[in-house]
Amino acid sequence: MHTKMRLLSRKATCNTHGQDSSYFLGWQEYEKNPYDEVKNPTGIIQMGLAENQLSFDLLESWLASNPDAAGFKKGGQSIFRELALFQDYHGLPDFKKALVEFMAEIRGNKVSFDQSKIVLTAGATSANETLMFCLAEPGEAFLLPTPYYPGFDRDLKWRTGVEIVPIQCTSSNDFQITSSALEEAFHEARRRKLRVKGVLVTNPSNPLGTTMTRNELNLLLSFVTEKGIHLISDEIYSGTVFSSPGFVSILEVLKDRKCENSQVWDRVHIVYSLSKDLGLPGFRVGAIYSNDDTVVSAATKMSSFGLVSSQTQYLLSALLSDKKFTRNYISENKKRLKQRQTLLVKGLEKAGISCLESNAGLFCWVNMKHLLSSNTFTAEMELWKKIVHEVKLNISPGSSCHCTEPGWFRVCFANMSEETLNLAIQRLKSFVESMNSQSHHQMLKSSRRKSLAKWVFRLSFDHDHREPEER
């Protein structure tokens, strides 16, 4: 075994990929015993996967009405051979144009994007890693506000050697970023002898399901300007904002502050993907948007290690160019997300469980502190294991998202049918009721024990202090 290890690279044999996080372990448990309404009704329901399956019918309807795009034809003539041959890694111009216009539409056309500044990647995972390679050396650091997406430990660090230093956010202000938290993270990195190269935020937030306020975005821009570092805004959930306040892109704030000719203009980078808004994670379509020509050039060269297939680009350029379809899709998808989120929040409320107020995303940030046996992460893991193995729901514990407080969980609602979500809520409600009744039973037993102890004590006291008998 040791000889084999010596024959492999350090990367192949190290354990820093993050696959042993409870976030991924929950998936493994689900895969061993997946719920199926007919074949396995007592199986585990997957609530740890942020997929948007609510609007597939809209996409399928478009495909049925546009057979040329789906059949790789143009004007009725097959272009299969053209798409099958090697394509330049700069991407198909028609697709890049359609993508930047779709990104602008999601942002209410308050900002526009230049297609020459966009780099196509195989999903946001690839986009974020590519930016790490472009912006930092191994052993340098990026600051990330907690709680954050557990996959970042893999995406940002595993191959690049870049370190993550958490910006500690708390429930006292709904996990918003503060100036003091930013400064503390910066000084913590310095204490660890790490050079800070930038801050990465997800807006809207995964796992919070909230959009960042203008105040937070302004705070971040002032911070990175003062420190002379980069800011990456991962806006993968920008099209899932279903309630006010609406979504504000970092690009909008840059323009409002008239930063076009300042140095910070080139140090702000946006990551986007069609995985969440269009529900197409299997299509592997991501993008980097940057005003820095050197970053765009380097990222474009690096993208040859993770290209988006020509067939995918062709199909999606036709779909995204259909403005009537995209307008209808964006608004209808938001309505469906809002209905589904309301269903989960109200269902959990009936079970005595509250959620952080959210307005975006495919999940809720759920507070189960009152169900913990103690205010510790050990107790959080005990509760999580019960929920996975006994309640048969895979949800993500806050500790996997580097949350600073035990008892928070991310619960997804858009990757299943309404019936399955109702069943999941019912399972959780029954579990909470059984826990409450056990707790009540234990309190009664404890109360009886105390009463009995008092009675025995009183009896012995009375016996020991009897009046002497008259003789």
Side-chain angles (χ1 to χ4, degrees), residues 4-207:
K4 183 186 175 184
M5 289 298 215
R6 282 201 300 272
L7 287 169
L8 299 176
S9 74
R10 202 176 307 149
K11 195 63 70 186
T13 53
C14 76
N15 193 28
T16 56
H17 179 275
Q19 203 71 33
D20 54 354
S21 154
S22 50
Y23 173 73
F24 293 111
L25 293 176
W27 287 13
Q28 288 170 25
E29 290 306 309
Y30 162 76
E31 280 158 13
K32 288 180 204 166
N33 182 23
Y35 168 80
D36 184 279
E37 193 179 347
V38 178
K39 295 176 188 164
N40 191 17
T42 60
I44 296 173
I45 296 173
Q46 174 63 293
M47 303 186 89
L49 186 59
E51 275 187 350
N52 181 8
Q53 297 184 23
L54 302 187
S55 299
F56 274 153
D57 60 313
L58 303 179
L59 296 165
E60 286 164 344
S61 170
W62 185 89
L63 287 170
S65 307
N66 293 270
D68 266 21
F72 307 124
K73 291 178 180 174
K74 196 181 267 181
Q77 298 296 308
S78 172
I79 55 163
F80 173 77
R81 290 187 181 192
E82 185 187 321
L83 294 172
L85 296 173
F86 178 75
Q87 298 287 340
D88 187 307
Y89 52 57
H90 288 83
L92 300 182
D94 285 352
F95 175 59
K96 289 172 89 170
K97 179 177 183 289
L99 182 61
V100 295
E101 286 174 1
F102 182 66
M103 287 167 67
E105 194 175 348
I106 282 170
R107 290 156 181 77
N109 290 306
K110 291 173 187 166
V111 289
S112 59
F113 297 88
D114 178 346
Q115 72 184 75
S116 70
K117 296 179 175 180
I118 203 159
V119 181
L120 301 178
T121 62
T125 295
S126 177
N128 278 310
E129 187 191 52
T130 299
L131 276 174
M132 289 299 113
F133 276 123
C134 289
L135 307 179
E137 300 291 348
E140 293 181 333
F142 260 75
L143 311 180
L144 269 68
T146 62
Y148 62 79
Y149 164 55
F152 280 146
D153 292 319
R154 166 201 65 196
D155 301 354
L156 308 183
K157 293 167 60 174
W158 188 46
R159 297 199 300 183
T160 65
V162 171
E163 293 295 327
I164 292 174
V165 176
I167 301 163
Q168 307 285 13
C169 302
T170 67
S171 61
S172 61
N173 69 341
D174 295 335
F175 298 97
Q176 287 188 24
I177 298 169
T178 62
S179 179
S180 59
L182 282 168
E183 288 295 345
E184 279 166 28
F186 193 81
H187 290 303
E188 172 60 22
R190 286 283 176 86
R191 273 195 295 275
R192 288 170 55 186
K193 305 281 193 293
L194 297 170
R195 184 183 176 199
V196 177
K197 294 304 288 286
V199 180
L200 185 150
V201 295
T202 309
N203 181 28
S205 165
N206 172 13

Side-chain angles (χ1 to χ4, degrees), residues 334-348:
K334 286 179 179 184
K335 276 185 210 156
R336 294 180 186 190
L337 286 170
K338 173 65 181 161
Q339 286 166 354
R340 192 55 72 83
Q341 184 254 16
T342 303
L343 182 67
L344 176 61
V345 171
K346 288 193 170 167
L348 291 175

